[in-house]
Amino acid sequence: KQWYQRRVRGYNGRMFSCAMAEDSRRAVIGGHNGAWIVDLETGSKLSEFSQGCMSVGWVPGCNDVILDHEGKTVRNSVEDGSYLFSYAPNARSQIAESGIFSDNFYLTACEDGSLRIYDKDSGDCLYTFYDHRAQEFTCIARSSSSGMVVAGNKSGMLYILDPTAK
């Protein structure tokens, strides 16, 4: 096994998150200098979204990226850089690993203590889970095999949700 290093030319700020595209040839990085789409072979910038962002990810099955920016999770087209819509317009959300996408749904964990399920393609909020004891969710993950969801919050609580339970 061998690790390769690639310097991302021109990105002179701290990076806070990264995600690899399904084609394994590109990655999106996010931090103080905005989000960049990077060619993994050369380390060069392919495109850029100038707003700073703490979390980034790819939308499975298409060529769009999601960026956590100014209190909302926005979806942008990589093809032309256009803003498409926001998944979480009313609460700061945390983008986690790519497992947060499931079929046609997108799951966010929000600082207001809610978990929200959105339609992946329209951005419409379909369901909100709220527990008055939950405070500022900081992370979320989903099992691709069972659909179980875990979400952690700032106060050290881990919430385990079974979407198949009645």
Side-chain angles (χ1 to χ4, degrees):
K1 306 282 182 204
Q2 185 175 359
W3 286 92
Y4 295 95
Q5 286 185 285
R6 294 274 190 272
R7 164 90 56 208
V8 177
R9 296 178 200 93
Y11 199 92
N12 296 320
R14 292 174 60 192
M15 290 182 206
F16 294 110
S17 63
C18 60
M20 189 176 302
E22 290 174 341
D23 64 14
S24 299
R25 296 186 328 255
R26 299 168 298 155
V28 58
I29 57 174
H32 285 303
N33 285 356
W36 288 14
I37 308 299
V38 177
D39 181 301
L40 294 177
E41 290 291 317
T42 65
S44 61
K45 174 178 65 171
L46 300 173
S47 59
E48 157 181 20
F49 302 94
S50 60
Q51 64 266 28
C53 55
M54 297 296 286
S55 299
V56 295
W58 290 88
V59 178
C62 71
N63 206 25
D64 297 341
V65 292
I66 48 175
L67 312 170
D68 185 17
H69 172 65
E70 292 183 356
K72 57 188 170 210
T73 301
V74 297
R75 182 168 167 176
N76 291 75
S77 168
V78 172
E79 298 298 327
D80 61 10
S82 65
Y83 166 84
L84 299 173
F85 55 82
S86 173
Y87 283 111
N90 299 320
R92 183 165 179 77
S93 64
Q94 289 291 323
I95 299 170
E97 302 300 321
S98 58
I100 54 175
F101 279 98
S102 171
D103 300 325
N104 294 318
F105 304 107
Y106 175 64
L107 179 65
T108 62
C110 303
E111 288 184 350
D112 69 354
S114 67
L115 300 176
R116 293 190 174 109
I117 298 173
Y118 293 88
D119 180 276
K120 181 179 92 172
D121 296 321
S122 71
D124 295 335
C125 184
L126 304 175
Y127 181 78
T128 300
F129 166 81
Y130 180 80
D131 185 315
H132 70 281
R133 296 169 296 180
Q135 299 172 3
E136 297 186 41
F137 281 109
T138 56
C139 56
I140 189 167
R142 180 183 173 278
S143 166
S144 59
S145 61
S146 71
M148 296 278 292
V149 173
V150 293
N153 70 9
K154 205 172 188 178
S155 62
M157 290 290 294
L158 181 67
Y159 291 81
I160 304 164
L161 305 171
D162 182 354
T164 63
K166 302 241 181 214

